[in-house]
Amino acid sequence: MATLSLYGQSILVLASLILFTSFALLAQTRALPLIRLFAWQGILLAVTTALVAWVTHQPHLYVSALLTLGLKALLIPWLLIRLVNRLGLHNEVENPKANALVLLGAAALTVFCYEIALPIMRLSTLLTRNVIAVSLAVVLLGMLLIIVRSKAVTQVVGFMCMENGLFFAAVVATYGMPMVVELGVAFDVLIAAILFGLFFLQIRDSIDSLDIDRLSRLRETDE
Amino acid sequence: MSSGAALLAPLLLVPLAGVIILAVLGHSRRAGWINIGISLLTLLASLGLAAVVLEKGHLLIGGGMFYIDAFNVYLLVLTAFVGLTTAIFSRAYMLDEMAHGRVNTKRLQLYHAMYQGFLFTMLLALSTNNLGILWVAMEGATLATVMLVSLYRTPESVEAAWKYFILCGVGIAQALFGTVLLFFAAERVVHHRDRALWWNVLYARADHLDPAVMSLAFVFLLVGYGTKVGLVPLHNWLPDAHSEGPTPISAVLSGLLLNVALYALVRIKMLADPTLGALPGELMMAFGLLSFLVAVFFLHRQRDIKRLYSYSSIEHMGLMTFGFGLGVPLATFAALLHMTVHSLTKSALFVSAGHAIHLAGTQSMERIRGLIRAEPTVGWGLLIGTVAIAGFPPFGIFTSEFLLLLATLQSWPWLTLPLLAGLLIALAGLLRHVQPMVYGEPMAGWKPVRANVLPVAVHLALVLWLGLAIPVILAHWFIHATILISGRSPW
């Protein structure tokens, strides 16, 4: 195998850091550190995007990097932290069931992503092709976070983490999507973040808790 | 070109302006009328656009940003039409909700603004030429309706909205990954980056797309948009979201949004077919048949009137997905017709169910009895609508289901058996619930409601008309759309 350039090496290091934050999110059980980790993932993503933009001379990626930094690393974490403080959730600790098993499952998912991404990696000529599997893994780990946790805050972080993975995939597979699409997606993410905030208030008002497990009135088996 | 642009612009801009106008005026007593007026203007614009498309075949508008052909133009008209009739129903219904204190002026404002926002995102999703914008608009439609599902702020409605938000968000994220993969494959064959997601450009070069990447992209897009279509096993959010929100929203969610999601799926299938052969069609057939069969059994177990019709929507979306999956011209024609008649019938049913709920003060079917005696127009509307949706002749659903069965018999004969059995089980499931609701003695203590049955009557009359004779213009559209999707004319 040919030796990697400095650029290739730094992309790989950054990608592995992003994947690491995804695993850390799965292991974290307190709301505030969880949001901070999510903010770090956003920062890493923005740095990766800026690096790709600089090396490959894709000026539009600078815009994407700035959008990511503003939205995923600053605005959304800030909104979430404010809500957590306002609702007094910062001391709550979640007790996820069988967390070691979940982390092992996450590792298995990551390996599975490499298998799925093979046909794409074979076709791609971009320097970043090795990272496509990692981006898919970030998407799936975000989904796993939503599935195994029952706190509303954690589910929102999982949702945003999936968005991070999708954006990462677009950057490394195709150097980003067309600008108009990226702006549209960013707009949707922003609206979603605001709606999530409003939802927290609604959920708390209606069931006095932000524990999604208590949302179980709508079932087929109910009388 | 210019006449098309002159008509598409109001079609999109009128509802968008409606969002702003109703965000300001949505709380007033006249808001219902404003809502109707805006929807009427939208419908007129869509009819004008349809006339232009009829003349010119297809249109590329706004430098290629929008693409209108026979397939989406009839869905645009259908969306604008059901949007208008539901707005007519919604005016009286929401005033009634206000009178009962279930919504305050602030929520009424939100409701009216988001109603137009929802119509705008659907029209944008249908008319855009860019598959990325299609995704953005689909997600936008979810975001516009999520606050409407939880409008009453009851624990059930908040739960339904949260489930809708998270499940559809996760589902549609898969579709975005699929879109990234599609872009990746497209970049190799379309050299102009900004045009690589344009549907008309991709369609012209579809046979050059890499099959390995396309199969992966198609699976992600099928799961993503399939969640929004309500395909089993990704359907869990649908009965909750459709039953907990205000009834006009149930009508447009079931009647329109599911169609738009299916539209997206069919457009993707058209791109995947040339390189993947039978795979996309067979996947859609499998998911469609599974959804259909699961939903018909769930029909029997329902207790809530709106959940009953939500499961019926899953059943019919399953049938349409199956029809498009079969891929032969006759099945495609049947599925297109089914999209239309299902939209019309289902929104009429939700309107009737909404009146019944107001009359009885509950959604529980056990406590709704003797509707025909209590309020004949509502009772007959519900009964005739149910008979139509169950597939009795001479209604349009009978025609489309008959054509679909015929197409199945010609290409996959064995599959007609589960289809027929499913249709019978669905018929039994619907009638066992609806029969006691409409006949017999009404329950004591019901207050009469001011029922506006105009939308129901118009929709059911149209469905009857489509069952007896399809108008020439409509048949022309369906045949053109069938040729676009399946390559050949059905006859």
Side-chain angles (χ1 to χ4, degrees):
Chain A
M1 185 171 166
T3 50
L4 282 168
S5 64
L6 187 61
Y7 162 66
Q9 291 178 29
S10 27
I11 290 286
L12 276 183
V13 169
L14 282 165
S16 53
L17 282 174
I18 290 173
L19 188 62
F20 172 73
T21 49
S22 272
F23 274 92
L25 283 171
L26 275 170
Q28 184 54 256
T29 54
R30 282 167 185 277
L32 281 180
L34 192 81
I35 298 167
R36 272 190 219 114
L37 265 174
F38 169 72
W40 273 109
Q41 191 175 53
I43 293 171
L44 285 168
L45 201 55
V47 171
T48 316
T49 312
L51 183 66
V52 174
W54 185 55
V55 174
T56 61
H57 308 291
Q58 301 270 350
H60 72 276
L61 275 182
Y62 285 118
V63 183
S64 312
L66 269 180
L67 263 178
T68 309
L69 189 71
L71 212 58
K72 305 273 184 53
L74 299 173
L75 184 66
I76 292 175
W78 177 74
L79 276 173
L80 282 173
I81 288 177
R82 226 174 63 119
L83 267 172
V84 164
N85 284 331
R86 202 169 130 196
L87 298 176
L89 300 173
H90 43 276
N91 284 328
E92 275 190 33
V93 181
E94 212 173 343
N95 285 322
K97 293 173 206 101
N99 217 19
L101 215 60
V102 168
L103 285 171
L104 273 178
L109 266 182
T110 312
V111 176
F112 174 65
C113 289
Y114 270 91
E115 171 73 24
I116 293 185
L118 270 181
I120 313 165
M121 283 158 76
R122 214 177 295 133
L123 261 186
S124 178
T125 50
L126 305 187
L127 276 166
T128 45
R129 65 178 180 277
N130 291 322
V131 187
I132 295 171
V134 175
S135 68
L136 182 57
V138 174
V139 175
L140 293 188
L141 294 192
M143 204 147 97
L144 189 65
L145 190 64
I146 296 177
I147 294 167
V148 297
R149 298 297 189 82
S150 60
K151 289 269 187 274
V153 181
T154 321
Q155 292 197 343
V156 173
V157 171
F159 185 91
M160 292 296 165
C161 185
M162 283 181 75
E163 286 286 340
N164 274 351
L166 290 168
F167 174 78
F168 193 31
V171 169
V172 295
T174 57
Y175 293 155
M177 303 281 272
M179 204 61 228
V180 52
V181 178
E182 246 169 52
L183 287 176
V185 173
F187 177 72
D188 276 353
V189 170
L190 180 66
I191 300 288
I194 294 167
L195 286 184
F196 273 127
L198 292 173
F199 250 111
F200 283 171
L201 304 175
Q202 285 186 17
I203 293 179
R204 218 186 49 149
D205 287 347
S206 65
I207 59 168
D208 268 335
S209 155
L210 274 176
D211 207 331
I212 302 300
D213 279 350
R214 298 242 202 119
L215 289 178
S216 57
R217 285 167 184 249
L218 298 170
R219 280 198 185 165
E220 283 315 325
T221 48
D222 274 358
E223 283 303 294
Chain B
M1 158 75 211
S2 57
S3 59
L7 286 160
L8 182 69
L11 181 61
L12 293 173
L13 291 179
V14 166
L16 196 58
V19 178
I20 298 160
I21 295 170
L22 287 168
V24 180
L25 294 173
H27 60 283
S28 75
R29 287 188 72 82
R30 277 168 303 158
W33 286 113
I34 301 175
N35 199 20
I36 294 173
I38 294 166
S39 307
L40 182 64
L41 286 178
T42 313
L43 177 64
L44 291 178
S46 76
L47 285 172
L49 192 66
V52 177
V53 174
L54 195 63
E55 200 180 309
K56 299 196 176 163
H58 64 87
L59 294 171
L60 206 56
I61 301 169
M65 286 299 285
F66 299 97
Y67 179 76
I68 315 283
D69 61 12
F71 182 25
N72 58 6
V73 80
Y74 98 89
L75 284 172
L76 284 170
V77 175
L78 184 68
T79 303
F81 177 73
V82 177
L84 171 64
T85 50
T86 311
I88 293 173
F89 161 65
S90 135
R91 194 190 70 85
Y93 188 87
M94 292 317 281
L95 283 180
D96 217 35
E97 294 288 85
M98 276 277 277
H100 283 91
R102 275 191 283 262
V103 289
N104 54 26
T105 48
K106 219 175 140 194
R107 286 183 201 164
L108 198 68
Q109 208 168 357
L110 175 80
Y111 168 84
H112 280 124
M114 282 301 115
Y115 186 87
Q116 288 299 329
F118 178 51
L119 284 183
F120 167 73
T121 51
M122 283 195 294
L123 294 171
L124 178 65
L126 287 170
S127 58
T128 182
N129 188 21
N130 188 323
L131 292 170
I133 298 296
L134 174 64
W135 185 89
V136 171
M138 286 293 296
E139 172 80 358
T142 311
L143 297 175
T145 42
V146 76
M147 279 290 144
L148 296 180
V149 170
S150 69
L151 195 73
Y152 296 139
R153 302 289 197 280
T154 56
E156 287 86 359
S157 67
V158 172
E159 174 183 347
W162 181 261
K163 216 163 157 183
Y164 176 42
F165 201 1
I166 290 286
L167 273 174
C168 276
V170 168
I172 205 138
Q174 314 297 317
L176 185 57
F177 194 77
T179 309
V180 171
L181 291 177
L182 187 64
F183 185 53
F184 174 78
E187 256 199 334
R188 247 131 278 274
V189 294
V190 181
H191 296 294
H192 198 300
R193 232 182 101 82
D194 285 334
R195 293 187 184 169
L197 277 176
W198 284 14
W199 190 85
N200 69 326
V201 174
L202 272 180
Y203 186 59
R205 315 226 13 153
D207 46 348
H208 291 79
L209 296 169
D210 181 76
V213 178
M214 275 310 284
S215 59
L216 209 53
F218 182 77
V219 169
F220 274 102
L221 286 159
L222 175 67
V223 171
Y225 290 131
T227 311
K228 292 229 68 163
V229 178
L231 295 181
V232 173
L234 309 155
H235 67 290
N236 260 325
W237 61 272
L238 193 147
D240 300 342
H242 289 204
S243 65
E244 293 303 327
T247 305
I249 296 305
S250 313
V252 281
L253 278 175
S254 258
L256 300 178
L257 184 59
L258 303 181
N259 271 358
V260 179
L262 186 59
Y263 161 83
L265 199 54
V266 174
R267 285 273 185 207
I268 302 293
K269 175 176 181 279
M270 289 164 79
L271 292 181
D273 270 343
T275 47
L276 298 182
L279 176 80
E282 280 168 7
L283 275 174
M284 280 173 73
M285 279 170 66
F287 270 108
L289 196 61
L290 181 70
S291 313
F292 171 72
L293 290 176
V294 169
V296 296
F297 284 106
F298 271 106
L299 280 177
H300 284 260
R301 300 180 50 187
Q302 300 311 312
R303 283 156 199 282
D304 177 311
I305 182 167
K306 287 213 265 180
R307 287 182 82 87
L308 178 76
Y309 291 119
S310 307
Y311 272 101
S312 158
S313 290
I314 300 178
E315 174 210 336
H316 286 278
M317 293 321 286
L319 268 183
M320 290 173 222
T321 311
F322 177 81
F324 282 119
L326 268 179
V328 293
L330 191 60
T332 308
F333 183 90
L336 288 168
L337 178 61
H338 202 88
M339 269 172 124
T340 315
V341 287
H342 172 256
S343 277
L344 293 171
T345 317
K346 192 50 65 65
S347 40
L349 273 170
F350 271 110
V351 169
S352 302
H355 285 312
I357 292 163
H358 267 183
L359 205 60
T362 172
Q363 296 190 188
S364 163
M365 288 191 281
E366 280 162 14
R367 304 205 30 230
I368 304 176
R369 288 289 178 263
L371 279 175
I372 289 183
R373 288 261 174 92
E375 193 69 61
T377 48
V378 176
W380 283 111
L382 199 66
L383 183 62
I384 297 173
T386 307
V387 165
I389 206 90
F392 272 101
F395 292 100
I397 293 194
F398 170 76
T399 317
S400 57
E401 284 179 350
F402 181 75
L403 290 177
L404 186 61
L405 281 171
L406 210 62
T408 316
L409 203 58
Q410 284 165 3
S411 40
W412 295 71
W414 285 105
L415 290 182
T416 25
L417 287 179
L419 281 182
L420 273 176
L423 288 173
L424 280 176
I425 297 167
L427 168 70
L430 285 167
L431 286 188
R432 76 183 262 196
H433 290 304
V434 172
Q435 196 263 346
M437 279 198 290
V438 293
Y439 292 118
E441 286 296 319
M443 299 198 117
W446 280 9
K447 297 180 288 281
V449 291
R450 229 173 1 136
N452 183 355
V453 288
L454 180 74
V456 182
V458 171
H459 282 201
L460 292 179
L462 281 175
V463 173
L464 183 64
W465 186 16
L466 287 176
L468 296 172
I470 301 175
V472 179
I473 294 182
L474 204 57
H476 170 88
W477 270 341
F478 284 155
I479 290 173
H480 265 260
T482 307
I483 295 171
L484 279 176
I485 298 167
S486 65
R488 275 175 296 131
S489 169
W491 32 71

